[in-house]
Amino acid sequence: MRPTLSRRGFLRLSVFALTALAGSGAILSRPDMGGGEDSLSQEGGWKFLGPADRELISAFAPALLFPCWPREPAAAAGELARLLRGVDTAVGYLPRRSQEELRQLLGLLARPSGRLLLCAGRWAGRRPRLDDGSAAAILTAWRDAAWGVLQAAYAGLHDLIMAVWYGDPGHWAELGYSGPPSLPRGSLDTRGGLGG
Amino acid sequence: MNEIHGDPGQDPIGAGFDGPWRARHRAGPDIHASESVEADVVVVGTGAGGGVAAERLSRAGLSVIWLEEGPLRTSRDFHMLEREAYPDLYQEAAGRRSRDGGVGILQGRAVGGSTLVNWTTSFRTPSETLAHWREEHGLSHLTDAYLAPWFAAMEAWLNIAPWAAAPNRHNQLLADGAVAQGLHPRVIARNVRGCWNLGYCGMGCPTNAKQSMLVAALPRVMAQGGQLYSRVRAEHLLRQGDRVTGVAAHPLDDRGRVRREISLKFQARHVVVAAGAIGSPALLLRSGAPDPHGCLGRRTFLHPVVLSVARFPDPVAAHQGAPQSIYVDDFLWPGDGSVGYKLEVPPIHPLIASVVMGDFGAAHRQFMEAFEYQQVVIALARDGFQPGAPGGQVQLDHHGDPVLDYPLTPALGETFRRAWQTMGELQLAAGARSVSPVHLDARPVTTAHALRRMVADLPWQGGRARVVSAHVMGGCALSPEPRRGVTDSRGRHHQWQNLSILDGSLFPTSIGANPQLSVYGLCAALADGLARELGG
């Protein structure tokens, strides 16, 4: 059946191989640097996501989260800022292999050649902005692709963005979920937050 | 040490590490120089296998160094929040997947291992499974009679008993649907003492009611003088010739990254590897362990799970109350040679639900908006018993980190289709308004007939069907014959001396039930034998 061929033939091709195809080998040489070049800038403190990465996530998040992504620009900007910080933190807990693959994917998508390869005609050449309709079309194509690399691109963005959005207590009320119960904790420290 | 009962105002384990045990715990981020330490035994891993092993060995008077890749967290740290618990307490931030992405794998990674975050479901190894092991895998000593006293001892220690309170509505609907279909729902036994019936077992028990290895084994090991190293990764085994002499390790930082610049050496008369069915084969692979018959890391099993979601007319609140209290085994041992499956329900919380629902946009949101009304049944496929479900293989990536290659097979696919049908019909019989397999090509339907028509064409491949696992087993199989296993019947490595493997990786097939009690019982028996051999 189909999966045998696709598993052996295609799925083993990782995003690394794609990177070579798209001629963006420069990214490979600095897998750990990420997009952290702006970490010293005024809105620094980013551990993984660089400016181009953040733009890419901004392009796909509204389509993934439609129809709950806010239409009002100020509200959308606030949600986006929280989402990006959440993704940046979450990526830091992924294993090295996953971080590298995400880095490759974002690196590819930042380049016209990579976009041509991954998004076909849906994200033309040098157009930096992606409207929500095109983003949804690209996500649909990746989701339904027979090619494991595209499926992985979809799964990676889907899981990260959904996890950050629905892990946020601010998004629970609209689900009718009131959050965990409160417990009589006595003198125990219940301030929350991840310790070292 | 007294038994620990559920009490959200107490943190006896945390108090132990604030006080008397403090000097005998080192955390990776706080280790600043290379060092070398010695003990009678090094135990790698603090989950179900490592927990009973360390407890038995230190009780026998042997000095124990205990290594854990994850952090030490205690009840004061458990806030019942997914976004904290998954990155902190799970392998790969709960996003571990098989190599081709086809199966999502939930596995614990903290002191206590998966026992810290499991749903407390406890089954003895089914008699049918043991019979298969005796007949097909040469494990003639593993009879019900031999294991019964070990299971009884574990049940007494961990207060394992059928859940006496009423099931939550999520589980009750499984029971109702099963009865309506002429099936036989039964009550699940749980390892809890004074459970508050909260429903957040998967994020670390905030009351210490769950008798995890954190709560049950760790205080005993520390009371015996044990030395705990958290956030330390065992890199490879140290040895002289074919004699294992210890473990080389690196500390991790507070996000779990390996700090290669610092080297730790743990030297011991004997090493127990209990890093779980992905971690244990990986450690042996990194160590270059001999594998003359190609058994190491092979036949790794997952109980691959498919899901069916049902929309009920009134709230189900599947996040509330003991997550698993009812099971249905009517399809576990089919007579037609197909792969059997067990039915249960999983707890549903917003983050994990949003990730498991693979779609996006409007379809995804529709599901999330009905969050409180959703009921989910899961089918756990019993892999490893038939040639058509041979399991997967643990491999290393270019960092030396493990990755599990697990091809889904047509035999499993056939079972997935049967299970989607069974689960959907059961949910409709329980009063569901609509049901749907959790699958990118499925849509909600309202009749068994419509479900049958849809399921017949539904691809079973992992890219379309959502397939998950919370049980990793096998990869270092027990076998009296070196050609068929990694360890002998005592759990000793066939080729290297002074090395035991004591965890779920020993199983020659999957269990056919949630595996924690199988790990406890078998590993307690083997660890007791080891303690005697080491003269403890």
Side-chain angles (χ1 to χ4, degrees):
Chain A
M1 284 182 82
R2 192 178 52 146
T4 312
L5 179 67
S6 65
R7 268 182 50 75
R8 297 298 166 219
F10 294 126
L11 299 196
R12 235 182 247 168
L13 261 184
S14 68
V15 178
F16 291 99
L18 268 187
T19 307
L21 279 176
S24 51
I27 302 169
L28 265 181
S29 63
R30 304 168 67 197
D32 294 322
M33 293 299 290
E37 291 83 356
D38 71 331
S39 61
L40 299 177
S41 77
Q42 68 275 24
E43 58 150 356
W46 296 95
K47 298 184 195 83
F48 183 89
L49 298 177
D53 306 331
R54 302 202 291 273
E55 200 137 309
L56 280 162
I57 289 174
S58 318
F60 287 107
L64 272 165
L65 291 164
F66 174 85
C68 52
W69 190 260
R71 286 160 187 265
E72 203 268 306
E79 290 290 5
L80 182 62
R82 270 214 301 285
L83 183 76
L84 289 171
R85 286 292 174 186
V87 170
D88 191 54
T89 303
V91 173
Y93 291 93
L94 298 178
R96 295 172 279 192
R97 180 179 65 250
S98 308
Q99 291 196 21
E100 286 166 3
E101 294 197 355
L102 186 63
R103 166 64 45 229
Q104 307 301 320
L105 173 68
L106 293 171
L108 266 173
L109 284 172
R111 293 160 174 267
S113 54
R115 283 182 199 167
L116 188 67
L117 191 67
L118 296 181
C119 308
R122 295 183 188 89
W123 196 352
R126 305 193 173 277
R127 184 159 52 111
R129 289 268 164 212
L130 193 57
D131 62 80
D132 290 354
S134 306
I138 291 168
L139 288 167
T140 303
W142 288 354
R143 182 196 66 194
D144 297 338
W147 196 15
V149 172
L150 300 183
Q151 287 177 8
Y154 173 79
L157 283 179
H158 174 277
D159 292 4
L160 261 178
I161 289 173
M162 293 299 180
V164 171
W165 183 269
Y166 286 105
D168 181 347
H171 297 140
W172 290 345
E174 45 207 65
L175 312 182
Y177 171 63
S178 51
S182 61
L183 293 175
R185 292 292 240 176
S187 58
L188 287 184
D189 177 9
T190 57
R191 278 169 302 174
L194 287 166
Chain B
M1 181 134 204
N2 293 330
E3 289 164 351
I4 294 172
H5 288 253
D7 180 350
Q10 301 289 324
D11 180 6
I13 311 302
F17 284 98
D18 287 339
W21 308 332
R22 191 186 186 104
R24 284 183 283 114
H25 169 233
R26 305 284 306 282
D30 303 329
I31 296 175
H32 301 296
S34 296
E35 55 187 80
S36 181
V37 194
E38 267 186 65
D40 291 326
V41 186
V42 179
V43 178
V44 181
T46 62
V52 289
E55 195 272 334
R56 292 266 149 180
L57 294 169
S58 50
R59 185 205 292 197
L62 296 158
S63 61
V64 171
I65 292 171
W66 208 4
L67 308 184
E68 168 57 49
E69 185 178 13
L72 172 65
R73 299 286 185 241
T74 62
S75 61
R76 73 184 67 169
D77 303 311
F78 302 145
H79 304 114
M80 300 181 278
L81 292 172
E82 292 178 282
R83 66 176 179 182
E84 284 183 13
Y86 297 152
D88 207 32
L89 307 180
Y90 284 78
Q91 289 289 359
E92 307 188 20
R96 181 168 261 186
R97 281 178 182 246
S98 58
R99 178 172 278 262
D100 67 10
V103 190
I105 301 168
L106 284 178
Q107 209 181 1
R109 191 217 53 186
V111 174
S114 289
T115 74
L116 191 73
V117 292
N118 73 16
W119 305 330
T120 75
T121 299
S122 306
F123 291 99
R124 292 187 179 195
T125 315
S127 301
E128 294 89 338
T129 300
L130 294 176
H132 180 84
W133 292 0
R134 292 193 300 273
E135 286 154 22
E136 303 292 329
H137 295 274
L139 299 172
S140 53
H141 65 299
L142 290 184
T143 60
D144 291 290
Y146 167 77
L147 282 170
W150 293 104
F151 289 140
M154 297 295 108
E155 287 159 355
W157 177 33
L158 305 173
N159 206 44
I160 293 173
W163 181 234
N168 68 1
R169 178 139 200 266
H170 198 211
N171 280 274
Q172 186 60 50
L173 289 169
L174 171 62
D176 292 350
V179 168
Q181 294 290 90
L183 307 174
H184 305 86
R186 295 182 207 285
V187 175
I188 286 175
R190 308 182 63 223
N191 57 319
V192 293
R193 221 175 230 122
C195 174
W196 282 55
N197 206 7
L198 298 171
Y200 290 78
C201 310
M203 294 162 228
C205 180
T207 71
N208 291 308
K210 187 200 296 186
Q211 302 296 297
S212 65
M213 291 298 100
L214 176 82
V215 166
L218 184 61
R220 292 187 175 187
V221 174
M222 296 312 290
Q224 294 290 334
Q227 300 179 71
L228 176 68
Y229 287 79
S230 65
R231 281 212 200 280
V232 163
R233 184 167 103 150
E235 193 64 34
H236 60 87
L237 299 170
L238 300 166
R239 70 197 159 83
Q240 289 171 350
D242 66 355
R243 215 159 44 81
V244 171
T245 59
V247 176
H250 295 297
L252 306 181
D253 72 8
D254 57 12
R255 285 197 283 162
R257 291 173 301 199
V258 181
R259 299 170 65 207
R260 290 199 175 276
E261 68 279 13
I262 302 174
S263 292
L264 305 173
K265 265 190 188 176
F266 300 101
Q267 289 171 306
R269 290 159 55 198
H270 199 88
V271 171
V272 173
V273 173
I278 290 179
S280 289
L283 174 55
L284 294 182
L285 287 168
R286 284 198 297 272
S287 307
D291 181 27
H293 306 286
C295 299
L296 177 58
R298 310 272 180 139
R299 292 184 57 79
T300 301
F301 305 109
L302 290 175
H303 285 156
V305 167
V306 290
L307 311 87
S308 175
V309 61
R311 168 81 193 262
F312 277 79
D314 40 349
V316 176
H319 47 82
Q320 232 171 54
Q324 295 192 315
S325 52
I326 299 291
Y327 70 101
V328 175
D329 271 359
D330 294 72
F331 308 99
L332 188 56
W333 304 100
D336 62 0
S338 64
V339 176
Y341 56 94
K342 186 181 194 78
L343 299 181
E344 295 174 346
V345 301
I348 309 179
H349 296 276
L351 190 163
I352 199 92
S354 77
V355 170
V356 166
M357 285 301 136
D359 218 331
F360 73 98
H364 188 273
R365 185 61 176 178
Q366 224 167 28
F367 168 81
M368 293 306 294
E369 278 175 349
F371 177 75
E372 288 286 313
Y373 297 80
Q374 310 284 11
Q375 198 252 358
V376 174
V377 177
I378 53 177
L380 298 79
R382 184 170 50 74
D383 52 347
F385 289 75
Q386 284 106 333
Q393 185 186 358
V394 175
Q395 303 166 341
L396 299 177
D397 71 10
H398 61 285
H399 293 289
D401 292 334
V403 56
L404 176 64
D405 184 35
Y406 191 101
L408 296 172
T409 60
L412 287 170
E414 195 183 307
T415 288
F416 293 169
R417 287 205 181 115
R418 286 182 188 213
W420 286 320
Q421 186 69 31
T422 307
M423 294 189 285
E425 287 185 17
L426 182 154
Q427 289 168 309
L428 287 170
R433 191 178 274 177
S434 64
V435 300
S436 174
V438 178
H439 192 295
L440 284 174
D441 301 314
R443 63 189 193 288
V445 294
T446 55
T447 67
H449 178 68
L451 180 63
R452 192 171 301 281
R453 280 213 323 242
M454 178 170 66
V455 164
D457 296 328
L458 223 42
W460 47 262
Q461 285 78 7
R464 306 305 291 173
R466 179 60 81 189
V467 185
V468 297
S469 164
H471 305 153
V472 195
M473 300 153 283
C476 295
L478 283 172
S479 175
E481 303 171 62
R483 141 189 101 74
R484 295 197 63 191
V486 172
T487 72
D488 66 17
S489 310
R490 302 171 300 162
R492 298 280 197 120
H493 193 265
H494 272 302
Q495 285 81 28
W496 278 354
Q497 308 298 306
N498 304 337
L499 173 62
S500 295
I501 295 148
L502 295 178
D503 63 16
S505 64
L506 293 174
F507 302 148
T509 65
S510 75
I511 294 293
N514 308 50
Q516 72 163 337
L517 181 51
S518 293
V519 180
Y520 295 143
L522 178 63
C523 293
L526 298 181
D528 229 44
L530 177 62
R532 280 196 304 277
E533 289 168 17
L534 294 178

